[in-house]
Amino acid sequence: MTEPTPLHGTGRSSSSRAPRARQAAVLDDLLGEVARGDEIAFSALYDKMSPAVFGLARRVVRDPARAEEVAQEVFLQVWQNATRFDSDRGAAKTWILTLAHRRAVDVVRRDQSSSDREQRYDWRSGPDHDAVAEEVGTRLEHEQVRRCLGTLTDLQREAITLAYYGGYTYMEASTLLEANAATVKTRMRDGLIRLRDCLGVTR
Amino acid sequence: MTAELHTLVGAYALNALSAEEQARFEQHLATCAACRAEQSELQATAARLADANWETPPAGIKARLMDAVRRTAQDRPLGVSPTHTGRGRWLPVMLTAAAVLAIVASLGAFFVERDRLADAQQQQRAVAGRLAVLERQEDGVTAVLSAPDVRIRSASLDNGGSVRVIVAPSLNSALIAMDNLPILGDQYSYQIWQVGRGDPVSAVVMPADAKHRTGTQLLDNLGKTQAIAVTVEPEGGSTRPTTDPIASIALT
């Protein structure tokens, strides 16, 4: 992976944000319809969100069969709990991916002793790119995420990717990184803040 | 806000806290509007990390899911309360959803059998007893799934099948959901055992019929059972296990 030049804040350009805002609004609307029991809306929401949910589950739990279970459980949960989603508190996409991440991490923490997981963790830095069905728009998003991860310090990036993709707690990550736990905790926060600014995330 | 707690916001957004720290941080969030604002932004940022990993799921998932959706009621909306934390509302009972999904596939066979028996009842009084048992089981299934302490344990088999145990300690009960077990010859049966301190106790012998490779069984007398084991036994079952279990699932 080539190391992109740090270009802090260029992710905020309106040209890259506008389509994402539209896409986010579509997902929010679909989830609202799902909350009213609309199975067709649920089907459409699944089509739009399942590659992200399944890809995340695969990345975190690795095992394809377990990842399938996670994806099914997450979407069934989306169906059941859509009535309790509050769009004032965040986007539908964030809500769904947060559920997916929690579920995947629960599975990996329950299934594996930490020594197993060390062996199972994919040590390639940064996100996967293979076996991915990409549309042009999503490819741009992938590249933006990769580029912005490249703007972080090594410790920020490693702490964040160990937690998010590896399912490790910050205490476990600090052991793996041979760094002080308080430092790792802080790097997770300031690394995310830098990512937020680079990606132009508003909520 | 205390500075020490507040620095946890990044790890919280990445789901990288221990259960205790997470609970403590959520209490903190409930009382700190500035923290909720930061948490909300960092949560959205963390979710963007999933954008780098798209992968199209196998097609079969959607069909199973749509089937599950048709069988699954939605939760009632919560009342709006200004002190409610976002995350609190976002934290539904995952385990219950998981448990429902785990048994949906195998429960199909259960209801089919119940319906078939209901038809046969008109001609065959002997079936009535079995039907009553199944109806009691249906109540038991509902009770287990809605128990507050329900949890799920599972084992995957080499052939792709699985055995899941949905345990409700408060009801002394568990559901065993078997999915796609290996096909057995006519002369063999699957037998489920409750394993505690002493010898394993037979819970049930599954019918030898190949159709029963998928099924749900309610156990309502767990007692001191520590694990559930499934073995292959001669047709009709054995008084004690005669083969190594194909699955052994600890309940704790």
Side-chain angles (χ1 to χ4, degrees):
Chain A
M1 162 177 165
T2 55
E3 200 68 5
T5 316
L7 289 171
H8 198 64
T10 51
R12 284 189 181 280
S13 71
S14 57
S15 62
S16 70
R17 197 165 45 183
R20 190 178 313 121
R22 272 202 303 277
Q23 188 203 23
V26 168
L27 292 171
D28 287 354
D29 290 347
L30 280 175
L31 190 55
E33 288 161 25
V34 170
R36 293 186 287 276
D38 186 335
E39 292 175 21
I40 294 167
F42 180 80
S43 168
L45 185 67
Y46 177 87
D47 291 342
K48 288 188 184 302
M49 285 301 298
S50 60
V53 168
F54 182 66
L56 178 60
R58 277 278 279 138
R59 181 67 192 251
V60 174
V61 308
R62 315 301 296 178
D63 177 58
R66 298 293 271 152
E68 280 186 38
E69 286 175 11
V70 167
Q72 290 186 70
E73 287 163 3
V74 166
F75 276 102
L76 189 61
Q77 194 183 350
V78 166
W79 168 256
Q80 288 182 292
N81 300 137
T83 46
R84 300 183 173 186
F85 168 73
D86 178 358
S87 61
D88 292 343
R89 302 227 173 252
K93 182 177 175 180
T94 301
W95 182 65
I96 294 169
L97 289 172
T98 302
L99 294 179
H101 189 252
R102 293 201 147 212
R103 183 75 202 142
V105 167
D106 282 350
V107 163
V108 91
R109 286 190 189 153
R110 203 177 59 210
D111 280 4
Q112 264 84 51
S113 71
S114 51
S115 61
D116 279 348
R117 277 206 284 138
E118 232 166 294
Q119 287 160 3
R120 285 168 89 254
Y121 181 64
D122 179 356
W123 284 100
R124 280 173 294 173
S125 66
D128 272 340
H129 250 298
D130 35 22
V132 169
E134 289 181 297
E135 297 165 21
V136 176
T138 58
R139 186 187 295 277
L140 288 174
E141 304 233 328
H142 299 179
E143 283 168 6
Q144 194 189 18
V145 171
R146 290 166 64 86
R147 186 178 57 71
C148 287
L149 278 171
T151 67
L152 305 184
T153 68
D154 288 347
L155 187 58
Q156 284 175 333
R157 185 174 53 250
E158 284 166 359
I160 286 173
T161 54
L162 279 172
Y164 195 76
Y165 299 125
Y168 292 101
T169 66
Y170 77 88
M171 293 293 290
E172 291 170 327
S174 71
T175 307
L176 290 169
L177 294 168
E178 295 176 357
N180 179 283
T183 307
V184 168
K185 179 173 69 180
T186 311
R187 291 297 89 82
M188 284 178 177
R189 180 184 176 207
D190 53 35
L192 276 182
I193 288 171
R194 194 188 277 200
L195 261 187
R196 175 195 70 192
D197 293 344
C198 180
L199 291 167
V201 174
T202 50
R203 61 165 203 182
Chain B
M1 78 186 81
T2 74
E4 192 270 334
L5 263 179
H6 190 68
T7 56
L8 290 174
V9 65
Y12 178 81
L14 293 165
N15 194 15
L17 296 180
S18 69
E20 301 75 44
E21 285 170 317
Q22 184 176 315
R24 212 149 49 92
F25 187 78
E26 282 174 354
Q27 277 179 352
H28 172 65
L29 268 187
T31 61
C32 171
C35 310
R36 282 201 297 277
E38 180 172 350
Q39 180 264 329
S40 166
E41 288 188 355
L42 296 190
Q43 203 74 57
T45 304
R48 290 289 303 279
L49 291 167
D51 278 337
N53 272 291
W54 280 37
E55 187 168 334
T56 305
I61 294 185
K62 187 173 177 183
R64 288 198 292 276
L65 196 53
M66 295 310 294
D67 189 46
V69 157
R70 278 187 285 273
R71 298 160 181 267
T72 306
Q74 293 179 293
D75 289 346
R76 306 186 66 77
L78 294 174
V80 177
S81 145
T83 56
H84 215 96
T85 74
R87 186 60 91 102
R89 213 176 299 191
W90 281 14
L91 265 194
V93 189
M94 287 199 178
L95 220 43
T96 303
V100 168
L101 194 85
I103 72 147
V104 153
S106 38
L107 211 52
F110 171 80
F111 287 119
V112 167
E113 189 189 358
R114 187 198 58 179
D115 292 347
R116 189 172 61 77
L117 287 168
D119 293 343
Q121 192 184 25
Q122 290 162 348
Q123 294 122 20
Q124 212 177 355
R125 278 180 56 89
V127 177
R130 176 68 179 148
L131 180 63
V133 168
L134 283 173
E135 280 173 346
R136 279 201 301 280
Q137 281 208 10
E138 187 179 345
D139 292 343
V141 167
T142 310
V144 168
L145 287 180
S146 48
D149 58 344
V150 67
R151 58 178 184 251
I152 182 167
R153 297 288 179 267
S154 64
S156 300
L157 307 180
D158 290 342
N159 75 326
S162 65
V163 178
R164 294 186 178 85
V165 182
I166 299 133
V167 198
S170 61
L171 298 176
N172 197 27
S173 296
L175 277 172
I176 319 292
M178 286 159 293
D179 186 32
N180 196 26
L181 298 184
I183 295 171
L184 293 182
D186 285 346
Q187 66 276 36
Y188 298 103
S189 303
Y190 285 111
Q191 190 163 6
I192 298 174
W193 305 88
Q194 295 178 221
V195 185
R197 287 222 173 76
D199 290 336
V201 176
S202 175
V204 65
V205 181
M206 302 303 287
D209 183 352
K211 293 190 192 79
H212 286 86
R213 295 161 57 215
T214 293
T216 304
Q217 185 65 42
L218 179 71
L219 305 184
D220 57 7
N221 186 18
L222 281 184
K224 294 195 189 313
T225 302
Q226 291 164 346
I228 297 293
V230 180
T231 63
V232 177
E233 300 295 338
E235 187 184 4
S238 307
T239 52
R240 53 196 308 167
T242 60
T243 60
D244 288 337
I246 60 163
S248 177
I249 299 152
L251 300 188
T252 50

